[in-house]
Amino acid sequence: MASGAARPCLDLFYATIDFEKKRRAHFHEFMADVHERIGQARKHHEGDPMPRVGRDIAETAQLLCFDELHVTDIADAMILGRLFTTLFANNVIVIATSNAAPSELYKDGLNRQLFVPFIELLEDKMEVFALEARKDYRLEKLQGSPLYFSPADDAARHAMRLAWRRLTGVETGEATTLLVKGRQVEIPEAHGGAAYFTYETIFEPALGPNDYLAIA
């Protein structure tokens, strides 16, 4: 488990591993999938669904790579210990990046004492490395540029377009569609890992947390 500027290292590691049963996911995306699996298991089986869910995940991914392991949801906090116990028992290798050391996860969260065994499990089963980078290349193209423009007039729109061109190198992006749990989420413009929305196109559609996570 690595904290700090570790995402590029994780990407490089995952790309170079010649192993079929592997999965790389943003941690919150993974947990959304876990909750869905729990719901399905409860519909079709009696008893505690967690061992079954953990075994099912282990059957398809013996290597799990998580980006941004961060816990803020009480529902996630209550199931993580049992889930990861099953994963480790099934010899799943877990590699994760996080902006917080294990001891800082879910800090000041509701009923955190029930979450502490998960922290102890991570510290027992995983090695923790702090990776500190002197430069954040993600911010390089926006260095010295304002990030907020007000009022929302023609000058603000012009400034936003200048920022878009600086980030992407193109005047306009291409319309893109994301598939999120069987539904289509429309992106008006996308290019080079960046997306451009107006207020109406990002907030007026009936989108939920999983949709915004997929966009991000």
Side-chain angles (χ1 to χ4, degrees):
M1 182 174 181
S3 61
R7 182 173 183 175
C9 299
L10 181 66
D11 291 338
L12 181 61
F13 170 80
Y14 187 82
T16 55
I17 291 296
D18 186 17
F19 187 68
E20 289 186 3
K21 289 188 175 182
K22 64 178 183 178
R23 179 179 178 183
R24 189 222 188 280
H26 189 284
F27 188 69
H28 290 299
E29 175 190 350
F30 173 76
M31 290 308 300
D33 176 56
V34 168
H35 285 290
E36 187 172 328
R37 288 174 181 264
I38 292 172
Q40 291 298 319
R42 284 174 172 161
K43 287 181 181 179
H44 299 100
H45 306 280
E46 295 182 356
D48 184 1
M50 291 309 305
R52 180 179 297 274
V53 169
R55 290 194 300 268
D56 288 346
I57 293 172
E59 287 179 2
T60 59
Q62 282 288 291
L63 171 65
L64 288 174
C65 294
F66 296 129
D67 188 26
E68 296 185 23
L69 197 162
H70 183 61
V71 183
T72 58
D73 187 284
I74 181 63
D76 290 349
M78 294 301 99
I79 67 175
L80 279 170
R82 289 186 295 150
L83 174 63
F84 271 62
T85 295
T86 302
L87 293 177
F88 289 137
N90 282 272
N91 300 315
V92 175
I93 298 172
V94 178
I95 297 177
T97 68
S98 177
N99 290 325
S103 61
E104 297 296 307
L105 291 172
Y106 198 53
K107 188 175 182 180
D108 301 322
L110 181 65
N111 292 325
R112 189 175 188 267
Q113 71 277 7
L114 301 178
F115 183 75
V116 171
F118 174 64
I119 295 174
E120 295 172 344
L121 180 68
L122 292 185
E123 293 176 335
D124 179 54
K125 296 292 187 179
M126 302 178 71
E127 295 186 60
V128 181
F129 300 93
L131 303 180
E132 302 297 341
R134 295 182 178 180
K135 187 173 186 178
D136 190 338
Y137 290 93
R138 298 170 298 180
L139 301 178
E140 188 175 34
K141 292 184 178 180
L142 288 176
Q143 190 171 11
S145 301
L147 301 179
Y148 297 91
F149 304 95
S150 180
D153 54 13
D154 288 341
R157 284 185 281 274
H158 178 68
M160 288 288 290
R161 277 296 171 183
L162 288 178
W164 167 264
R165 287 199 295 270
R166 190 179 303 116
L167 282 171
T168 65
V170 298
E171 291 292 329
T172 57
E174 295 184 357
T176 303
T177 300
L178 298 179
L179 189 63
V180 182
K181 297 190 179 299
R183 296 181 299 100
Q184 292 184 336
V185 177
E186 304 299 333
I187 313 298
E189 294 184 45
H191 185 84
Y196 192 99
F197 293 89
T198 63
Y199 181 92
E200 291 76 14
T201 56
I202 189 67
F203 291 120
E204 287 189 357
L207 302 180
N210 288 332
D211 302 317
Y212 291 117
L213 176 59
I215 292 170

